[in-house]
């Protein structure tokens, strides 16, 4: 029997849109009514920490609301992981936990996680599903140094070494629900192409980076992702 293909998947906000979480760039460049410069940069945090804490506390509360649940696209990728095992690598730019809740066990969060806090001094992270602010004491150094565990603009994405290794080994690269506006994630397709991977974009509409891909599939994630997963399973006899 042939070895299964190594499939590398990059997801973005579009995969969670039908679960009720707004994407970043479909709303005049505003994220839930806030500009990125006011809530997602180290400068914003230094300028107005109260606003930044409040913003992420609200996002965390929204994510833990009973109405926000994984959708058929998250579930299809969890199924693909069960079929492919270690041959699948799932990288997400999303800070929600919907992939995990759908059953994906090895999710690489390159832009951090909403349900996590981070000590600004030691960089240790802590599971966190409740609000915190500039007065909350950090469990590792007992000082008020906790910040959202979110990679802000101008900061280094997490797990880059692991990600670069996966890109170099990919046979198939899928970009799902991402506009391709933010680097380095937007450039993964070029690395995957260099490694000889077949590159496929699955998005509501073709993105500006569309021409980097070998194939582009347009439509809502809850339809096109499950269909594509079934196609892969059939094509490779998985
Ligand atoms: N199904 C599939 N795709 C969808 C759907 C849907 N139901 N709804 C929206 N989309 C597509 C949009 O057409 C768009 O191309 O999802 C994409 C979302 O793009 P962005 O809002 O730019 O989100 P993303 O690419 O994840 O942003 C990357 O930017 O703000 C930063 O750090 C933040 O991780 C984020 C990064």
């Amino acid at each position: 029997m042939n070895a299964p293909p190594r499939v590398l998947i990059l997801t973005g906000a579009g995969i969670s849109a039908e679960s009720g979480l707004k994407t970043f760039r479909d709303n005049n460049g505003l994220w839930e009514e806030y500009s990125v410069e006011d809530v997602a940069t180290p400068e914003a945090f230094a300028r107005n920490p109260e606003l930044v804490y409040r913003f992420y506390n609200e996002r965390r509360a929204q994510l833990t609301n009973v109405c926000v649940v994984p959708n058929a696209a998250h579930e299809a990728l969890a199924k693909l992981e069960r079929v492919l095992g270690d041959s699948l690598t799932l990288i997400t730019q999303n800070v929600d936990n919907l992939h995990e809740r759908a059953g994906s066990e090895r999710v690489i969060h390159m832009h951090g996680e909403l349900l996590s806090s981070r000590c600004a001094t030691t960089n240790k992270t802590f599971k966190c599903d409740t609000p915190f602010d500039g007065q909350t004491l950090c469990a590792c150094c007992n000082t008020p140094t906790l910040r959202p565990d979110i990679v802000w603009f101008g900061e280094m994405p997490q797990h880059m070494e692991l990600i670069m290794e996966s890109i170099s080994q990919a046979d198939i690269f899928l970009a799902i629900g991402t506009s391709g506006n933010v680097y380095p994630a937007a450039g993964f397709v070029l690395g995957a192409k260099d490694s000889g991977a077949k590159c496929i974009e699955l998005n509501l509409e073709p993105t500006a980076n569309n021409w980097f891909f070998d194939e582009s599939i347009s439509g809502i994630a809850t339809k096109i992702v499950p269909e594509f997963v079934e196609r892969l399973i059939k094509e490779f006899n998985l």
Side-chain angles (χ1 to χ4, degrees):
M1 200 176 109
N2 291 337
R6 280 158 303 188
V7 178
L8 176 62
I9 301 176
L10 171 70
T11 63
I15 197 167
S16 296
E18 292 164 80
S19 293
L21 298 177
K22 285 194 182 146
T23 61
F24 299 96
R25 290 178 182 76
D26 293 339
N27 195 21
N28 297 325
L30 297 182
W31 186 12
E32 299 280 356
E33 320 309 327
Y34 292 86
S35 88
V36 158
E37 291 74 24
D38 287 337
V39 293
T41 63
E43 293 77 19
F45 188 50
R47 201 168 50 235
N48 192 346
E50 290 79 19
L51 171 69
V52 175
Y53 282 119
R54 192 172 70 237
F55 175 75
Y56 291 100
N57 284 339
E58 284 169 11
R59 302 282 69 74
R60 196 174 306 109
Q62 179 188 35
L63 179 60
T64 51
N65 184 298
V66 285
C67 301
V68 175
V69 290
N71 65 48
H74 299 106
E75 280 158 12
L77 296 188
K79 174 176 177 180
L80 192 60
E81 183 186 276
R82 286 193 294 277
V83 170
L84 283 172
D86 287 348
S87 298
L88 181 136
T89 302
L90 175 56
I91 304 165
T92 189
Q93 297 166 89
N94 298 343
V95 294
D96 66 54
N97 64 346
L98 296 178
H99 283 304
E100 286 90 341
R101 284 166 59 191
S104 290
E105 290 183 2
R106 293 174 293 104
V107 186
I108 300 172
H109 282 272
M110 65 178 291
H111 289 167
E113 294 181 67
L114 263 180
L115 296 187
S116 171
S117 63
R118 181 167 11 125
C119 173
T121 308
T122 65
N123 252 347
K124 273 193 184 155
T125 58
F126 307 94
K127 281 194 187 326
C128 168
D129 58 6
T130 51
F132 64 93
D133 59 24
Q135 271 78 55
T136 312
L137 295 182
C138 157
C140 65
C141 47
N142 209 30
T143 52
T145 48
L146 285 178
R147 57 161 279 180
D149 185 22
I150 303 289
V151 176
W152 289 323
F153 282 91
E155 296 184 322
M156 179 61 99
Q158 298 172 0
H159 313 294
M160 283 307 291
E161 229 172 273
L162 182 60
I163 290 172
M164 297 319 286
E165 194 188 322
S166 305
I167 291 174
S168 72
Q169 295 171 350
D171 297 314
I172 297 173
F173 173 71
L174 309 177
I176 303 176
T178 176
S179 62
N181 271 292
V182 175
Y183 283 79
F188 291 172
V189 57
L190 297 175
K193 263 173 97 100
D194 272 354
S195 314
K198 180 170 183 187
C199 299
I200 303 164
E201 173 178 87
L202 296 100
N203 202 60
L204 193 57
E205 71 251 317
T207 68
N209 288 351
N210 178 255
W211 57 284
F212 292 149
F213 289 84
D214 299 301
E215 187 179 343
S216 178
I217 300 174
S218 299
I220 55 171
T222 52
K223 179 171 189 292
I224 60 176
V225 176
E227 283 174 3
F228 187 80
V229 165
E230 291 313 313
R231 172 180 141 187
L232 265 189
I233 288 174
K234 212 164 161 196
E235 197 173 317
F236 289 93
N237 218 357
L238 299 170

